[in-house]
Amino acid sequence: MKLLGIACIFLFALTSSLPAQEEYEENSYELIIAPLLAGSLIVPAGVLSEIVPLGGGLQAGAQIENLLFRQSVIKLTAGYNSLPIEIENPVADSLTHISFSLLAGYNFHLSDGISFALLAGGGYLGHIIPESGSEIFWDPQLKIQTDVCFRLFPDFSVFVSPDYSIFFEERNIASFFSLHLGIKTAFHIPLASGQNMYSPPLPTLSYDRQS
């Protein structure tokens, strides 16, 4: 479970390196919810690459920013991918992956309109072999991902997200790389009025009576 340990260390490092209050202006704190849709390229690694070459599919989900702390990111996604099987005398022509993942991390604003996020998390990966009927085999998975986002309009962006996933079958461990290219739009929900998350408490007035 080395990958899980690395993910925990990664998230701890992010939460311990929050930017200073002075970097933000008053009234700038808000919750951002961004639905997303992407096309995916799947590149199997290790043992899995001996069974299937490349695959592809679609990914949909939503990204929530500033929920845990400023510039924090929570990302929920669901994916559907098809991978052709290329071995001698296969029991099926293709393998279908259905994935659900929950990632968390930190978003770095590189410049006006460009951001870079580091995320880690996990979820479940379902395997479907069409010839075997509708039975789905579910395996837990761990994932690390980077997001590079380019804002084209105030609330509309394109992004590219490479990631690495490792999943745990009953007797085997397998992994694959993914590359997602997609679009997302943003909805803003103000969370503070008059002061932001890191503003100090307002001073209180006190009166001393003198005799």
Side-chain angles (χ1 to χ4, degrees):
M1 302 294 285
K2 291 183 178 180
L3 186 60
L4 179 59
I6 294 174
C8 293
I9 294 174
F10 162 75
L11 291 177
F12 175 79
L14 291 180
T15 56
S16 62
S17 61
L18 292 177
Q21 172 186 343
E22 290 75 15
E23 297 182 12
Y24 302 99
E25 298 180 355
E26 289 286 327
N27 305 319
S28 62
Y29 184 64
E30 60 184 2
L31 187 68
I32 301 175
I33 300 176
L36 60 90
L37 180 66
S40 304
L41 174 67
I42 308 298
V43 183
V47 178
L48 188 61
S49 64
E50 300 175 2
I51 302 174
V52 295
L54 298 175
L58 293 173
Q59 182 185 80
Q63 183 171 301
I64 306 173
E65 298 183 26
N66 302 329
L67 180 62
L68 302 178
F69 48 83
R70 190 184 298 278
Q71 290 183 238
S72 66
V73 179
I74 296 177
K75 190 174 184 180
L76 302 94
T77 58
Y80 180 91
N81 302 291
S82 179
L83 300 91
I85 297 177
E86 292 191 356
I87 58 175
E88 294 184 1
N89 302 318
V91 296
D93 296 326
S94 64
L95 175 66
T96 298
H97 277 177
I98 299 176
S99 65
F100 298 94
S101 62
L102 172 62
L103 307 177
Y106 191 80
N107 195 25
F108 299 89
H109 295 287
L110 304 182
S111 65
D112 186 21
I114 302 177
S115 62
F116 175 79
L118 296 175
L119 305 110
Y124 276 87
L125 185 67
H127 312 275
I128 303 175
I129 300 177
E131 285 76 359
S132 66
S134 58
E135 186 175 4
I136 303 178
F137 304 92
W138 294 100
D139 297 314
Q141 67 170 336
L142 295 176
K143 184 189 295 286
I144 54 176
Q145 184 179 87
T146 61
D147 278 359
V148 182
C149 183
F150 304 90
R151 190 173 69 243
L152 302 182
F153 304 102
D155 293 320
F156 182 84
S157 305
V158 297
F159 66 89
V160 56
S161 300
D163 64 44
Y164 175 74
S165 301
I166 180 170
F167 60 92
F168 304 89
E169 298 179 320
E170 185 175 350
R171 297 182 180 178
N172 299 302
I173 298 177
S175 61
F176 59 91
F177 296 92
S178 303
L179 181 64
H180 313 283
L181 178 62
I183 58 175
K184 64 180 179 180
T185 186
F187 298 92
H188 303 262
I189 304 175
L191 293 183
S193 177
Q195 64 179 38
N196 61 36
M197 182 181 181
Y198 292 100
S199 294
L202 296 175
T204 57
L205 297 178
S206 59
Y207 299 90
D208 295 328
R209 294 185 176 180
Q210 296 181 356
S211 56

